[in-house]
Amino acid sequence: MHPVAESELRGHNADGIPFRAKPHHVHRTWARTFSSIPELYIQPETLAEIEKVVSLAQKCRRRIVTTGCGHSPSNITCTSSWMVNLDRFNKILAVNSETGVVTMESGIRLYTLCEELERYGLAMPNLGSINQQSIAGAISTGTHGSSANHGLMSEDVLSLKITLANGTTESCSAESSPELFQAALLSLGALGIITEITFRAVPAFTLKWTQTIDADHKLFKRWPIDLWTQSEFVRIWWFPYTRRAVIWQADKTTEPEQDPPVSYYDGTLGYYVYHNLLSVAQFAPRILPWVEWFVFGMQYGFANGSTTTAIQPSRKALLMNCLYSQFVNEWAIPLHKGPEALRRLSSWLNHLSPDDPDYVAHNIPFSADGLYVHAPVEVRVSDTTLTSNVRPFLDPTVEDGPTLYLNATLYRPYWRDPPCRDRYYEAFEWLMKDMGGRPHWAKNFETYRPDIEGMYGKKLQTFRRIRNDVDPEGMFVGPWHRERIMADLQGSKLQLEEIEVSRKKATDGGLVVLGLVES
């Protein structure tokens, strides 16, 4: 430990407030795409402990990174400085069953929150595809669900408390400190430590969902008519090699619960068959179209028109299984551009010729020769324009209508990176930018400052001003932030900002280990 830190931390419990820190912790993202070893791994249990951590970090001249489950597969949570994990700061503080207003500590995981809300007859209005994140992490990265009736999860946040770099905790809302509130609603961990969230829940509800398999040209035909409005919740998985899609739709119901049918392939057998086929394809990528056809058919059926139905509580129905370690590259584009985007991607991946009825000119300036990718592409929708709440400055969604999210997933069988990743994502990001898209902040995108400045303009400038006001020395800034949302300082840095100095492949399963310093 740095000599300054040793002297400052000596006697650190004299005030009676615990400092729950330990060295030698290995932090990994859920997908094991990145890892790092923080100098101290800290798990506070009270607000006083969080404020003490920040004050000590200021004295010791340390950067702070806040993390939950590490589900974001990027290096945004990597640090060699101090890491604060809020898993022990996870209590429900107040519930009003009549209004649905709930106040909670920010470290509570979504699965725990949903279980606690159910005890009071309440539920989250909307959920993303997983529930492992902390509520603060979900808000801070712009998590959304699968519904044209809902926007970002942050639209239901009424107020926040955030501990800033000076060690004080401030409250903010649309009425009180509104600019800080707008910045904190999607902060990317760059403002401070969100400590308390007041959120509006809804009466608990059950969803009856139907899953239908069909050709993608039928999907495109229904797109402008009723595809996204036929039910309150809709999500799609599109399989480019088979040109088929799984359409999942759900509506609220009072019918009794009914579990979905389970085939022999849905369990352990299917899991390992697919995993091992993906692993073989690492060495023979040419078999991937066949793998995706086979696995799709075994899981969903080989015939178009097959359906599956179930009735489940919303906290179960809205989730999906992420299966294996994976890269995810998700972008937000205007909803009406979806068919064009998917057709262009299909023409490129499938090498369609102009005489193919599904051909469109893709114009992607990268070759797809010898390129074989995983499927599916996850297709979801939201509409943040419907909210009466303020929208975050860094909200990636469309400003004047519904937003489509396209998520190009690539699996990492047995922790090994797929050989197609670099070229596929380079082409995918080029296409998304050509469609006027913005990247989902929590994903594996490699679009950087110049492009992002063009996407957000004055809103990014405002975010930077607010961020610099509350954290002028960069206690909460790292290399991920500098590359994407911070201003170009021409090689210089903020006093506490952490910079990356080394990166190498790890020995345990192909992890990437970061080495960083603050000065």
Side-chain angles (χ1 to χ4, degrees), residues 41 67-70 85-87 89-90 104-116 131-136:
Y41 181 74
T67 185
C69 70
N85 172 269
L86 298 178
D87 280 348
F89 190 70
N90 62 354
M104 66 205 79
E105 294 175 337
S106 60
I108 191 168
R109 299 289 188 94
L110 293 182
Y111 61 84
T112 302
L113 175 58
C114 289
E115 292 170 357
E116 291 293 321
N131 62 358
Q132 297 296 312
Q133 314 102 308
S134 68
I135 183 68

PDB file of all heavy atoms in Angstrom, residues 41 67-70 85-87 89-90 104-116 131-136:
ATOM      1  N   TYR A  41     -10.716  -3.587  -1.409  1.00  0.00           N
ATOM      2  CA  TYR A  41     -12.086  -3.954  -1.748  1.00  0.00           C
ATOM      3  C   TYR A  41     -12.932  -3.676  -0.513  1.00  0.00           C
ATOM      4  O   TYR A  41     -12.725  -4.273   0.542  1.00  0.00           O
ATOM      5  CB  TYR A  41     -12.152  -5.429  -2.125  1.00  0.00           C
ATOM      6  CG  TYR A  41     -13.513  -5.933  -2.528  1.00  0.00           C
ATOM      7  CD1 TYR A  41     -14.056  -5.595  -3.770  1.00  0.00           C
ATOM      8  CD2 TYR A  41     -14.250  -6.765  -1.693  1.00  0.00           C
ATOM      9  CE1 TYR A  41     -15.298  -6.078  -4.161  1.00  0.00           C
ATOM     10  CE2 TYR A  41     -15.492  -7.258  -2.078  1.00  0.00           C
ATOM     11  CZ  TYR A  41     -16.005  -6.910  -3.309  1.00  0.00           C
ATOM     12  OH  TYR A  41     -17.237  -7.391  -3.695  1.00  0.00           O
ATOM     13  N   THR A  67     -19.152  -0.927  -7.663  1.00  0.00           N
ATOM     14  CA  THR A  67     -19.563  -2.082  -8.462  1.00  0.00           C
ATOM     15  C   THR A  67     -20.616  -2.891  -7.734  1.00  0.00           C
ATOM     16  O   THR A  67     -20.712  -2.860  -6.506  1.00  0.00           O
ATOM     17  CB  THR A  67     -18.351  -2.983  -8.782  1.00  0.00           C
ATOM     18  OG1 THR A  67     -18.760  -4.026  -9.663  1.00  0.00           O
ATOM     19  CG2 THR A  67     -17.773  -3.608  -7.526  1.00  0.00           C
ATOM     20  N   GLY A  68     -21.415  -3.611  -8.510  1.00  0.00           N
ATOM     21  CA  GLY A  68     -22.396  -4.542  -7.975  1.00  0.00           C
ATOM     22  C   GLY A  68     -22.034  -5.943  -8.407  1.00  0.00           C
ATOM     23  O   GLY A  68     -21.022  -6.499  -7.983  1.00  0.00           O
ATOM     24  N   CYS A  69     -22.816  -6.513  -9.338  1.00  0.00           N
ATOM     25  CA  CYS A  69     -22.544  -7.882  -9.782  1.00  0.00           C
ATOM     26  C   CYS A  69     -21.527  -7.933 -10.907  1.00  0.00           C
ATOM     27  O   CYS A  69     -21.086  -9.009 -11.292  1.00  0.00           O
ATOM     28  CB  CYS A  69     -23.840  -8.566 -10.219  1.00  0.00           C
ATOM     29  SG  CYS A  69     -24.541  -7.907 -11.755  1.00  0.00           S
ATOM     30  N   GLY A  70     -21.153  -6.784 -11.469  1.00  0.00           N
ATOM     31  CA  GLY A  70     -20.183  -6.782 -12.555  1.00  0.00           C
ATOM     32  C   GLY A  70     -20.730  -7.356 -13.846  1.00  0.00           C
ATOM     33  O   GLY A  70     -19.995  -7.925 -14.642  1.00  0.00           O
ATOM     34  N   ASN A  85     -18.079  -2.080  -3.096  1.00  0.00           N
ATOM     35  CA  ASN A  85     -19.176  -2.973  -3.453  1.00  0.00           C
ATOM     36  C   ASN A  85     -20.305  -2.771  -2.444  1.00  0.00           C
ATOM     37  O   ASN A  85     -20.078  -2.811  -1.232  1.00  0.00           O
ATOM     38  CB  ASN A  85     -18.700  -4.426  -3.433  1.00  0.00           C
ATOM     39  CG  ASN A  85     -19.845  -5.400  -3.609  1.00  0.00           C
ATOM     40  OD1 ASN A  85     -20.446  -5.842  -2.634  1.00  0.00           O
ATOM     41  ND2 ASN A  85     -20.166  -5.738  -4.839  1.00  0.00           N
ATOM     42  N   LEU A  86     -21.520  -2.554  -2.937  1.00  0.00           N
ATOM     43  CA  LEU A  86     -22.639  -2.186  -2.066  1.00  0.00           C
ATOM     44  C   LEU A  86     -23.594  -3.341  -1.792  1.00  0.00           C
ATOM     45  O   LEU A  86     -24.743  -3.116  -1.424  1.00  0.00           O
ATOM     46  CB  LEU A  86     -23.403  -1.012  -2.695  1.00  0.00           C
ATOM     47  CG  LEU A  86     -22.616   0.289  -2.873  1.00  0.00           C
ATOM     48  CD1 LEU A  86     -23.482   1.345  -3.537  1.00  0.00           C
ATOM     49  CD2 LEU A  86     -22.090   0.797  -1.534  1.00  0.00           C
ATOM     50  N   ASP A  87     -23.133  -4.578  -1.932  1.00  0.00           N
ATOM     51  CA  ASP A  87     -24.017  -5.725  -1.698  1.00  0.00           C
ATOM     52  C   ASP A  87     -24.533  -5.795  -0.267  1.00  0.00           C
ATOM     53  O   ASP A  87     -25.590  -6.390  -0.015  1.00  0.00           O
ATOM     54  CB  ASP A  87     -23.292  -7.029  -2.032  1.00  0.00           C
ATOM     55  CG  ASP A  87     -23.272  -7.312  -3.530  1.00  0.00           C
ATOM     56  OD1 ASP A  87     -24.003  -6.633  -4.269  1.00  0.00           O
ATOM     57  OD2 ASP A  87     -22.514  -8.206  -3.960  1.00  0.00           O
ATOM     58  N   PHE A  89     -25.205  -3.090   1.471  1.00  0.00           N
ATOM     59  CA  PHE A  89     -25.969  -1.855   1.664  1.00  0.00           C
ATOM     60  C   PHE A  89     -27.236  -2.008   0.827  1.00  0.00           C
ATOM     61  O   PHE A  89     -27.367  -1.460  -0.253  1.00  0.00           O
ATOM     62  CB  PHE A  89     -25.120  -0.663   1.195  1.00  0.00           C
ATOM     63  CG  PHE A  89     -25.691   0.678   1.545  1.00  0.00           C
ATOM     64  CD1 PHE A  89     -25.719   1.122   2.862  1.00  0.00           C
ATOM     65  CD2 PHE A  89     -26.190   1.508   0.558  1.00  0.00           C
ATOM     66  CE1 PHE A  89     -26.239   2.367   3.181  1.00  0.00           C
ATOM     67  CE2 PHE A  89     -26.709   2.754   0.866  1.00  0.00           C
ATOM     68  CZ  PHE A  89     -26.734   3.189   2.180  1.00  0.00           C
ATOM     69  N   ASN A  90     -28.179  -2.802   1.346  1.00  0.00           N
ATOM     70  CA  ASN A  90     -29.236  -3.323   0.473  1.00  0.00           C
ATOM     71  C   ASN A  90     -30.604  -3.435   1.129  1.00  0.00           C
ATOM     72  O   ASN A  90     -31.390  -4.320   0.798  1.00  0.00           O
ATOM     73  CB  ASN A  90     -28.818  -4.695  -0.055  1.00  0.00           C
ATOM     74  CG  ASN A  90     -28.633  -5.711   1.063  1.00  0.00           C
ATOM     75  OD1 ASN A  90     -28.707  -5.377   2.245  1.00  0.00           O
ATOM     76  ND2 ASN A  90     -28.388  -6.960   0.699  1.00  0.00           N
ATOM     77  N   MET A 104     -35.167   2.723  -0.990  1.00  0.00           N
ATOM     78  CA  MET A 104     -34.268   1.594  -0.743  1.00  0.00           C
ATOM     79  C   MET A 104     -32.816   2.039  -0.760  1.00  0.00           C
ATOM     80  O   MET A 104     -32.482   3.075  -1.360  1.00  0.00           O
ATOM     81  CB  MET A 104     -34.476   0.533  -1.829  1.00  0.00           C
ATOM     82  CG  MET A 104     -34.066   1.002  -3.213  1.00  0.00           C
ATOM     83  SD  MET A 104     -34.909   0.141  -4.555  1.00  0.00           S
ATOM     84  CE  MET A 104     -36.491   1.004  -4.534  1.00  0.00           C
ATOM     85  N   GLU A 105     -31.968   1.277  -0.095  1.00  0.00           N
ATOM     86  CA  GLU A 105     -30.532   1.469  -0.242  1.00  0.00           C
ATOM     87  C   GLU A 105     -30.110   0.990  -1.623  1.00  0.00           C
ATOM     88  O   GLU A 105     -30.675   0.037  -2.174  1.00  0.00           O
ATOM     89  CB  GLU A 105     -29.788   0.726   0.868  1.00  0.00           C
ATOM     90  CG  GLU A 105     -30.061   1.309   2.247  1.00  0.00           C
ATOM     91  CD  GLU A 105     -29.422   0.512   3.387  1.00  0.00           C
ATOM     92  OE1 GLU A 105     -29.145  -0.693   3.176  1.00  0.00           O
ATOM     93  OE2 GLU A 105     -29.215   1.090   4.474  1.00  0.00           O
ATOM     94  N   SER A 106     -29.096   1.621  -2.156  1.00  0.00           N
ATOM     95  CA  SER A 106     -28.809   1.482  -3.582  1.00  0.00           C
ATOM     96  C   SER A 106     -28.177   0.158  -3.981  1.00  0.00           C
ATOM     97  O   SER A 106     -28.144  -0.187  -5.162  1.00  0.00           O
ATOM     98  CB  SER A 106     -27.892   2.617  -4.024  1.00  0.00           C
ATOM     99  OG  SER A 106     -26.663   2.564  -3.292  1.00  0.00           O
ATOM    100  N   GLY A 107     -27.655  -0.610  -3.025  1.00  0.00           N
ATOM    101  CA  GLY A 107     -26.981  -1.854  -3.369  1.00  0.00           C
ATOM    102  C   GLY A 107     -27.899  -3.041  -3.545  1.00  0.00           C
ATOM    103  O   GLY A 107     -27.440  -4.123  -3.912  1.00  0.00           O
ATOM    104  N   ILE A 108     -29.195  -2.877  -3.282  1.00  0.00           N
ATOM    105  CA  ILE A 108     -30.101  -4.025  -3.369  1.00  0.00           C
ATOM    106  C   ILE A 108     -30.143  -4.558  -4.804  1.00  0.00           C
ATOM    107  O   ILE A 108     -30.226  -3.812  -5.771  1.00  0.00           O
ATOM    108  CB  ILE A 108     -31.515  -3.633  -2.869  1.00  0.00           C
ATOM    109  CG1 ILE A 108     -32.381  -4.878  -2.699  1.00  0.00           C
ATOM    110  CG2 ILE A 108     -32.166  -2.611  -3.778  1.00  0.00           C
ATOM    111  CD1 ILE A 108     -33.682  -4.597  -1.949  1.00  0.00           C
ATOM    112  N   ARG A 109     -30.019  -5.874  -4.936  1.00  0.00           N
ATOM    113  CA  ARG A 109     -30.091  -6.494  -6.261  1.00  0.00           C
ATOM    114  C   ARG A 109     -31.551  -6.526  -6.724  1.00  0.00           C
ATOM    115  O   ARG A 109     -32.479  -6.613  -5.913  1.00  0.00           O
ATOM    116  CB  ARG A 109     -29.532  -7.902  -6.220  1.00  0.00           C
ATOM    117  CG  ARG A 109     -28.072  -8.002  -5.803  1.00  0.00           C
ATOM    118  CD  ARG A 109     -27.117  -7.480  -6.885  1.00  0.00           C
ATOM    119  NE  ARG A 109     -25.738  -7.776  -6.526  1.00  0.00           N
ATOM    120  CZ  ARG A 109     -25.083  -8.863  -6.929  1.00  0.00           C
ATOM    121  NH1 ARG A 109     -25.683  -9.749  -7.696  1.00  0.00           N
ATOM    122  NH2 ARG A 109     -23.825  -9.063  -6.559  1.00  0.00           N
ATOM    123  N   LEU A 110     -31.756  -6.534  -8.020  1.00  0.00           N
ATOM    124  CA  LEU A 110     -33.111  -6.480  -8.547  1.00  0.00           C
ATOM    125  C   LEU A 110     -33.922  -7.715  -8.162  1.00  0.00           C
ATOM    126  O   LEU A 110     -35.125  -7.619  -7.904  1.00  0.00           O
ATOM    127  CB  LEU A 110     -33.076  -6.326 -10.063  1.00  0.00           C
ATOM    128  CG  LEU A 110     -32.527  -4.998 -10.593  1.00  0.00           C
ATOM    129  CD1 LEU A 110     -32.590  -4.973 -12.112  1.00  0.00           C
ATOM    130  CD2 LEU A 110     -33.276  -3.808 -10.009  1.00  0.00           C
ATOM    131  N   TYR A 111     -33.288  -8.883  -8.108  1.00  0.00           N
ATOM    132  CA  TYR A 111     -34.045 -10.079  -7.738  1.00  0.00           C
ATOM    133  C   TYR A 111     -34.540  -9.991  -6.301  1.00  0.00           C
ATOM    134  O   TYR A 111     -35.663 -10.404  -5.994  1.00  0.00           O
ATOM    135  CB  TYR A 111     -33.244 -11.356  -7.989  1.00  0.00           C
ATOM    136  CG  TYR A 111     -31.946 -11.489  -7.228  1.00  0.00           C
ATOM    137  CD1 TYR A 111     -31.907 -11.966  -5.928  1.00  0.00           C
ATOM    138  CD2 TYR A 111     -30.734 -11.168  -7.834  1.00  0.00           C
ATOM    139  CE1 TYR A 111     -30.712 -12.109  -5.240  1.00  0.00           C
ATOM    140  CE2 TYR A 111     -29.542 -11.297  -7.165  1.00  0.00           C
ATOM    141  CZ  TYR A 111     -29.532 -11.765  -5.858  1.00  0.00           C
ATOM    142  OH  TYR A 111     -28.332 -11.885  -5.175  1.00  0.00           O
ATOM    143  N   THR A 112     -33.720  -9.428  -5.412  1.00  0.00           N
ATOM    144  CA  THR A 112     -34.144  -9.240  -4.025  1.00  0.00           C
ATOM    145  C   THR A 112     -35.229  -8.186  -3.937  1.00  0.00           C
ATOM    146  O   THR A 112     -36.220  -8.345  -3.206  1.00  0.00           O
ATOM    147  CB  THR A 112     -32.948  -8.834  -3.146  1.00  0.00           C
ATOM    148  OG1 THR A 112     -31.942  -9.839  -3.230  1.00  0.00           O
ATOM    149  CG2 THR A 112     -33.371  -8.658  -1.697  1.00  0.00           C
ATOM    150  N   LEU A 113     -35.060  -7.100  -4.676  1.00  0.00           N
ATOM    151  CA  LEU A 113     -36.053  -6.038  -4.670  1.00  0.00           C
ATOM    152  C   LEU A 113     -37.407  -6.556  -5.137  1.00  0.00           C
ATOM    153  O   LEU A 113     -38.447  -6.264  -4.517  1.00  0.00           O
ATOM    154  CB  LEU A 113     -35.582  -4.895  -5.567  1.00  0.00           C
ATOM    155  CG  LEU A 113     -36.559  -3.735  -5.776  1.00  0.00           C
ATOM    156  CD1 LEU A 113     -36.944  -3.093  -4.450  1.00  0.00           C
ATOM    157  CD2 LEU A 113     -35.967  -2.701  -6.720  1.00  0.00           C
ATOM    158  N   CYS A 114     -37.420  -7.343  -6.203  1.00  0.00           N
ATOM    159  CA  CYS A 114     -38.687  -7.882  -6.707  1.00  0.00           C
ATOM    160  C   CYS A 114     -39.359  -8.793  -5.686  1.00  0.00           C
ATOM    161  O   CYS A 114     -40.592  -8.759  -5.520  1.00  0.00           O
ATOM    162  CB  CYS A 114     -38.453  -8.636  -8.012  1.00  0.00           C
ATOM    163  SG  CYS A 114     -38.057  -7.571  -9.412  1.00  0.00           S
ATOM    164  N   GLU A 115     -38.576  -9.607  -4.983  1.00  0.00           N
ATOM    165  CA  GLU A 115     -39.130 -10.486  -3.960  1.00  0.00           C
ATOM    166  C   GLU A 115     -39.695  -9.679  -2.800  1.00  0.00           C
ATOM    167  O   GLU A 115     -40.768 -10.001  -2.258  1.00  0.00           O
ATOM    168  CB  GLU A 115     -38.054 -11.449  -3.464  1.00  0.00           C
ATOM    169  CG  GLU A 115     -37.629 -12.477  -4.514  1.00  0.00           C
ATOM    170  CD  GLU A 115     -36.395 -13.259  -4.093  1.00  0.00           C
ATOM    171  OE1 GLU A 115     -35.848 -12.957  -3.002  1.00  0.00           O
ATOM    172  OE2 GLU A 115     -35.978 -14.161  -4.837  1.00  0.00           O
ATOM    173  N   GLU A 116     -38.979  -8.613  -2.402  1.00  0.00           N
ATOM    174  CA  GLU A 116     -39.456  -7.768  -1.306  1.00  0.00           C
ATOM    175  C   GLU A 116     -40.725  -7.025  -1.713  1.00  0.00           C
ATOM    176  O   GLU A 116     -41.668  -6.904  -0.925  1.00  0.00           O
ATOM    177  CB  GLU A 116     -38.366  -6.776  -0.904  1.00  0.00           C
ATOM    178  CG  GLU A 116     -37.153  -7.405  -0.224  1.00  0.00           C
ATOM    179  CD  GLU A 116     -37.505  -7.978   1.141  1.00  0.00           C
ATOM    180  OE1 GLU A 116     -38.298  -7.358   1.871  1.00  0.00           O
ATOM    181  OE2 GLU A 116     -36.987  -9.066   1.475  1.00  0.00           O
ATOM    182  N   ASN A 131     -31.975  -9.978 -13.795  1.00  0.00           N
ATOM    183  CA  ASN A 131     -32.273  -9.298 -12.530  1.00  0.00           C
ATOM    184  C   ASN A 131     -31.122  -9.417 -11.537  1.00  0.00           C
ATOM    185  O   ASN A 131     -31.325  -9.326 -10.329  1.00  0.00           O
ATOM    186  CB  ASN A 131     -33.553  -9.852 -11.920  1.00  0.00           C
ATOM    187  CG  ASN A 131     -33.444 -11.338 -11.573  1.00  0.00           C
ATOM    188  OD1 ASN A 131     -32.420 -11.987 -11.828  1.00  0.00           O
ATOM    189  ND2 ASN A 131     -34.498 -11.886 -10.989  1.00  0.00           N
ATOM    190  N   GLN A 132     -29.901  -9.603 -12.038  1.00  0.00           N
ATOM    191  CA  GLN A 132     -28.746  -9.740 -11.154  1.00  0.00           C
ATOM    192  C   GLN A 132     -28.169  -8.394 -10.725  1.00  0.00           C
ATOM    193  O   GLN A 132     -27.456  -8.306  -9.721  1.00  0.00           O
ATOM    194  CB  GLN A 132     -27.649 -10.547 -11.856  1.00  0.00           C
ATOM    195  CG  GLN A 132     -28.042 -11.972 -12.188  1.00  0.00           C
ATOM    196  CD  GLN A 132     -28.318 -12.800 -10.955  1.00  0.00           C
ATOM    197  OE1 GLN A 132     -27.537 -12.803 -10.014  1.00  0.00           O
ATOM    198  NE2 GLN A 132     -29.449 -13.480 -10.950  1.00  0.00           N
ATOM    199  N   GLN A 133     -28.460  -7.323 -11.461  1.00  0.00           N
ATOM    200  CA  GLN A 133     -27.831  -6.040 -11.176  1.00  0.00           C
ATOM    201  C   GLN A 133     -28.367  -5.437  -9.878  1.00  0.00           C
ATOM    202  O   GLN A 133     -29.476  -5.727  -9.427  1.00  0.00           O
ATOM    203  CB  GLN A 133     -28.094  -5.032 -12.298  1.00  0.00           C
ATOM    204  CG  GLN A 133     -27.904  -5.550 -13.698  1.00  0.00           C
ATOM    205  CD  GLN A 133     -29.223  -5.851 -14.349  1.00  0.00           C
ATOM    206  OE1 GLN A 133     -30.048  -6.555 -13.799  1.00  0.00           O
ATOM    207  NE2 GLN A 133     -29.418  -5.318 -15.548  1.00  0.00           N
ATOM    208  N   SER A 134     -27.579  -4.545  -9.312  1.00  0.00           N
ATOM    209  CA  SER A 134     -28.099  -3.695  -8.245  1.00  0.00           C
ATOM    210  C   SER A 134     -28.986  -2.643  -8.870  1.00  0.00           C
ATOM    211  O   SER A 134     -28.854  -2.317 -10.060  1.00  0.00           O
ATOM    212  CB  SER A 134     -26.950  -3.037  -7.479  1.00  0.00           C
ATOM    213  OG  SER A 134     -26.279  -2.102  -8.315  1.00  0.00           O
ATOM    214  N   ILE A 135     -29.891  -2.070  -8.086  1.00  0.00           N
ATOM    215  CA  ILE A 135     -30.770  -1.041  -8.616  1.00  0.00           C
ATOM    216  C   ILE A 135     -29.954   0.165  -9.075  1.00  0.00           C
ATOM    217  O   ILE A 135     -30.244   0.762 -10.115  1.00  0.00           O
ATOM    218  CB  ILE A 135     -31.842  -0.633  -7.567  1.00  0.00           C
ATOM    219  CG1 ILE A 135     -32.807   0.397  -8.144  1.00  0.00           C
ATOM    220  CG2 ILE A 135     -31.214  -0.124  -6.290  1.00  0.00           C
ATOM    221  CD1 ILE A 135     -33.699  -0.109  -9.236  1.00  0.00           C
ATOM    222  N   ALA A 136     -28.896   0.506  -8.335  1.00  0.00           N
ATOM    223  CA  ALA A 136     -28.069   1.647  -8.733  1.00  0.00           C
ATOM    224  C   ALA A 136     -27.333   1.379 -10.032  1.00  0.00           C
ATOM    225  O   ALA A 136     -27.237   2.249 -10.898  1.00  0.00           O
ATOM    226  CB  ALA A 136     -27.072   1.994  -7.626  1.00  0.00           C
TER     227      ALA A 136
END
